[in-house]
Amino acid sequence: MNRKVKIGSMLYINRQDSPDMIREWVQMMADAKLKLLRLFVGWDLVEPRKSEWSWELFDAAFDEAQIQQMDVVPTLHHESPPGWMKVTKNAQDRFDLENEEYVEAAYIYVTQVVQRYRNHPALDSWIAWNEACLHVPYVESIVPAFQEYAQEYYGDIKAFNKVHYPQFDFFEDIELRHLTSVQGGPVPSLIEKIDWQRFCVHYLMKKLGSVIEVIRQADPDHPVHVNPHLLGQCMFPIGQSIWKESRITDFAGFSAHPVWHSTRYGEDDIEESISLFSALARSASCDPTRKFWASELQGGPAVFSGVRRGCPSPDEIDAWLSTIVNEGGNGIIFWCFNNRNGGIEAGEWALMNQSNQPSSRLRQVTDFINDLELSEEGEMNPKVEPEVAILYSEDNLILHYVSGSGSDEKSNPRNKESGADAICGAYRLFYNLGISADFVDEIKLTDSDFMKRYRLLVIPGNTVFSRMTAQAVEVFVKNGATVIADGMLGWKDANGQVIRESSEVERIFGARLNDIIPFAGRDSLYLQNGISIKTIDAWFVQVLLDISHSNTKIEGRWENGACGLTQLEHPSGGKAIWIGTSFFQSVFAFGVDKGVENWFAKWLLRESIQTEYH
């Protein structure tokens, strides 16, 4: 099935703008060949005074978009109160979503906007909450929500008590003082830190799900999506989960601002980061066609308002667009078309220049769109379906995040993003080899579709390896597929407790974890089957493996002769390979030379997949 790719931009409506100015902006967007028009329908702009509704600015945008044959994508902001409430400092500040009076007013705003435009011919879809995230506060009003989370997650108070130090008779006995030790203490409680991360996601999903339901009640006909950000990092401290968000929306989206979201990548690796973001959104999308959008893509200079400074060149704009399209993207929306007048982003991020004229960046976007139109009138043939999947374990990411210590630099193996770094390293290997890869979370891993779609699964840095996940992987390998894991596989469970026995891991890999020896610097793992190289770099830990199956082959040893790399070939032809060091995290931290890439491709991949690599 062919797909139509739409490219557009955010049009930022400033308080000082007039309907005539907005119509002129939309006309300029149409002149640049843009087809998607995203809008922030700010609460303060449509309800400037309590119960006084004003629509003329957005009516102008919608009506002119219809004339110009553009599709409008409104973004709602129920979480950010209008100025007349006098409870926040700017139009994007969050407010207390436990305040029932506020939430009632917020849902009235959402309903008013959706009812106003649900029948407009230019309406494409809704974004329910821009970069939906929350720093959940430690306040009394949040305790009932935590109690609800604990009951849903653990099911029984005995299960909760089994892993927590304070003991309770009922979930309702949990108080605020039982949550605050997550902030410090001589020996902070690991399980409280883990539970708080899981709760942040639970809480945001409840709030996001509620506003999506309000939208769908008012407009059941148009799709709803959201645009999570920080996709290459642990997203849970601010409640984000692209997998859970995708399951309550109609298709997946994401934000991709290199100066914000690609800062763990070198400046020469931005395309790789955008490829990863795209692959993650494509993999998580619950749309039957795997539809996804880059809902925000940096369009102009970030002088003061990014983690690092930067402005995309026309060549970079072209490369980013090509990357998203090649990964299967259906829509791309730049942030922004015009300049904001105020705030930290004033004068930054725009495709237009400081004279409000088309920049070289915008002209490159138009050239790209023209090239798309010449390619089967904008219809792109689907890319080759990946045969490779990388496990994206949320439980593992949380454990690494809360266990992390020291610098956040990639070169610190214990940094809090180490779980995400391992995932990014696995993706980097395939990206460098020209092999397309998908991601899969623990839930999708159990789908029958997963077994049919993929021939190779990579499990990068998974200290956490649940019984449910292991059982799914075992079926996968017994169906003749290949799995490659590294590091301290299956050492702990999702609550951070050591797993004393892991029969599933032993059945899959024919080996078990004997000991873990952390070390500083780099070491060497000596290969038995090196092809063109004899060693690969080891980093952070030597994982000593014991062979537990007669057919398991030792493929690599440490200098002292201890086993450090194994392979078990199952009767079905499926293979299970365990690399006894932080291999994938090391690839992201330091890169990998061509010799190791070739070893990975020629020996580890071998006959696992049909896709050719280069």
Side-chain angles (χ1 to χ4, degrees):
M1 181 178 179
N2 289 346
R3 60 190 168 91
K4 193 89 168 180
V5 180
K6 295 180 181 179
I7 297 175
S9 182
M10 170 80 179
L11 175 65
Y12 195 89
I13 295 181
N14 299 283
R15 284 188 178 190
Q16 300 83 0
D17 293 345
S18 68
D20 287 342
M21 291 172 63
I22 291 168
R23 291 189 187 94
E24 185 176 348
W25 284 122
V26 176
Q27 290 166 14
M28 294 178 73
M29 295 176 75
D31 290 342
K33 297 297 212 46
L34 301 178
K35 293 296 183 185
L36 289 174
L37 168 61
R38 186 180 171 192
L39 298 170
F40 269 17
V41 188
W43 190 349
D44 63 314
L45 291 177
V46 296
E47 192 183 10
R49 295 287 184 272
K50 185 176 182 179
S51 302
E52 295 180 10
W53 298 93
S54 176
W55 304 105
E56 60 176 359
L57 297 179
F58 295 97
D59 284 352
F62 267 87
D63 292 345
E64 188 61 37
Q66 181 183 358
I67 293 170
Q68 302 297 335
Q69 297 183 308
M70 298 176 69
D71 298 323
V72 181
V73 185
T75 303
L76 298 163
H77 289 273
H78 81 292
E79 76 286 358
S80 299
W84 55 262
M85 285 189 178
K86 302 181 184 68
V87 292
T88 52
K89 299 296 185 181
N90 66 62
Q92 288 179 246
D93 278 357
R94 308 285 193 254
F95 191 60
D96 181 9
L97 296 182
E98 291 302 305
N99 184 309
E100 293 182 4
E101 184 178 352
Y102 170 78
V103 171
E104 182 180 358
Y107 288 170
I108 290 172
Y109 146 74
V110 171
T111 303
Q112 288 277 352
V113 174
V114 177
Q115 288 180 342
R116 178 77 179 185
Y117 297 112
R118 63 187 176 187
N119 294 320
H120 200 288
L123 178 63
D124 179 274
S125 55
W126 300 97
I127 295 180
W129 182 337
N130 181 57
E131 293 181 347
C133 60
L134 280 175
H135 291 280
V136 183
Y138 293 98
V139 291
E140 288 290 347
S141 62
I142 213 72
V143 174
F146 184 88
Q147 295 169 347
E148 177 190 69
Y149 149 76
Q151 185 155 12
E152 284 190 20
Y153 187 83
Y154 288 97
D156 184 87
I157 194 66
K158 292 179 182 178
F160 185 87
N161 287 336
K162 190 174 182 179
V163 294
H164 281 263
Y165 187 74
Q167 300 292 286
F168 304 97
D169 293 325
F170 305 98
F171 287 107
E172 291 77 13
D173 295 339
I174 301 171
E175 300 176 8
L176 183 64
R177 61 193 177 93
H178 300 129
L179 308 181
T180 52
S181 66
V182 75
Q183 300 179 62
V187 184
S189 168
L190 183 68
I191 184 57
E192 284 191 3
K193 293 168 74 174
I194 291 170
D195 259 332
W196 188 258
Q197 300 302 312
R198 292 193 294 230
F199 167 62
C200 287
V201 176
H202 169 92
Y203 187 75
L204 181 63
M205 290 307 105
K206 289 286 186 180
K207 300 305 177 184
L208 178 59
S210 294
V211 73
I212 288 175
E213 182 60 28
V214 172
I215 295 169
R216 286 178 170 155
Q217 284 179 356
D219 178 7
D221 299 321
H222 289 89
V224 181
H225 87 284
V226 288
N227 55 315
H229 61 147
L230 296 174
L231 265 62
Q233 300 174 43
C234 183
M235 300 185 285
F236 314 120
I238 51 177
Q240 292 188 132
S241 164
I242 190 170
W243 301 96
K244 291 181 175 64
E245 290 175 37
S246 294
R247 290 185 175 105
I248 61 174
T249 53
D250 294 296
F251 63 93
F254 66 93
S255 290
H257 301 316
V259 296
W260 274 108
H261 306 133
S262 304
T263 54
R264 296 187 71 75
Y265 287 80
E267 293 189 3
D268 293 333
D269 300 319
I270 301 303
E271 290 174 46
E272 178 189 330
S273 72
I274 292 174
S275 174
L276 181 145
F277 303 159
S278 300
L280 185 51
R282 178 186 69 229
S283 303
S285 181
C286 285
D287 177 84
T289 65
R290 311 182 86 198
K291 174 182 177 179
F292 74 90
W293 282 8
S295 316
E296 284 189 25
L297 180 64
Q298 182 180 353
V303 183
F304 295 106
S305 56
V307 175
R308 62 187 182 197
R309 66 187 184 275
C311 180
S313 68
D315 286 346
E316 287 173 320
I317 291 282
D318 185 75
W320 299 351
L321 289 169
S322 296
T323 296
I324 297 165
V325 170
N326 290 338
E327 291 296 340
N330 304 83
I332 303 168
I333 301 176
F334 282 94
W335 178 277
C336 297
F337 184 75
N338 57 325
N339 287 297
R340 295 174 68 162
N341 289 348
I344 189 63
E345 292 187 1
E348 303 190 21
W349 295 89
L351 287 168
M352 302 293 278
N353 64 24
Q354 298 300 311
S355 300
N356 286 326
Q357 296 298 315
S359 69
S360 58
R361 301 180 300 278
L362 179 55
R363 290 193 291 271
Q364 182 60 56
V365 174
T366 303
D367 288 345
F368 187 90
I369 293 170
N370 286 333
D371 289 342
L372 270 184
E373 290 177 348
L374 292 174
S375 174
E376 298 185 23
E377 297 184 352
E379 290 189 347
M380 302 297 294
N381 291 321
K383 67 198 297 293
V384 175
E385 288 293 335
E387 300 174 86
V388 175
I390 299 168
L391 181 61
Y392 186 105
S393 168
E394 295 190 332
D395 287 334
N396 189 63
L397 286 172
I398 288 173
L399 179 62
H400 279 254
Y401 187 87
V402 301
S403 303
S405 62
S407 164
D408 286 341
E409 294 294 322
K410 292 184 293 182
S411 56
N412 169 24
R414 301 192 301 170
N415 83 81
K416 65 185 180 183
E417 299 291 354
S418 59
D421 287 351
I423 289 173
C424 294
Y427 191 83
R428 170 165 289 177
L429 268 175
F430 292 110
Y431 182 85
N432 289 347
L433 291 166
I435 297 174
S436 184
D438 276 342
F439 294 94
V440 61
D441 74 337
E442 286 97 338
I443 294 176
K444 283 205 171 187
L445 190 65
T446 61
D447 290 349
S448 59
D449 181 59
F450 171 78
M451 302 296 173
K452 300 173 186 174
R453 185 186 292 271
Y454 304 103
R455 301 302 305 152
L456 172 66
L457 173 68
V458 173
I459 305 174
N462 271 66
T463 302
V464 177
F465 195 54
S466 72
R467 175 161 292 178
M468 180 187 77
T469 300
Q471 289 172 346
V473 172
E474 185 176 7
V475 173
F476 182 66
V477 174
K478 286 183 176 180
N479 283 346
T482 296
V483 59
I484 303 173
D486 76 330
M488 299 167 281
L489 179 69
W491 182 28
K492 297 183 179 180
D493 66 16
N495 292 324
Q497 298 196 335
V498 172
I499 299 174
R500 293 301 180 191
E501 294 182 6
S502 183
S503 56
E504 292 90 355
V505 170
E506 289 194 47
R507 287 199 301 271
I508 297 166
F509 292 91
R512 59 177 169 263
L513 195 155
N514 173 293
D515 208 353
I516 302 167
I517 312 297
F519 60 90
R522 312 292 291 278
D523 202 342
S524 294
L525 180 57
Y526 295 85
L527 304 178
Q528 306 292 99
N529 184 348
I531 303 178
S532 60
I533 60 170
K534 298 300 179 186
T535 64
I536 60 169
D537 282 342
W539 188 48
F540 184 31
V541 289
Q542 292 181 345
V543 178
L544 310 184
L545 301 173
D546 276 346
I547 300 301
S548 58
H549 193 287
S550 59
N551 290 337
T552 305
K553 296 178 182 178
I554 298 176
E555 301 286 359
R557 294 182 182 274
W558 299 108
E559 189 173 9
N560 63 5
C563 173
L565 198 162
T566 63
Q567 178 186 222
L568 174 62
E569 183 167 349
H570 289 255
S572 64
K575 301 179 183 67
I577 298 162
W578 189 346
I579 307 170
T581 192
S582 300
F583 177 71
F584 295 111
Q585 187 188 353
S586 174
V587 169
F588 191 60
F590 304 109
V592 61
D593 62 40
K594 285 295 179 184
V596 175
E597 277 186 7
N598 289 335
W599 166 78
F600 186 82
K602 292 180 180 177
W603 183 68
L604 294 185
L605 302 186
R606 284 199 282 191
E607 299 173 359
S608 302
I609 61 174
Q610 302 300 314
T611 307
E612 294 184 0
Y613 58 87
H614 59 261

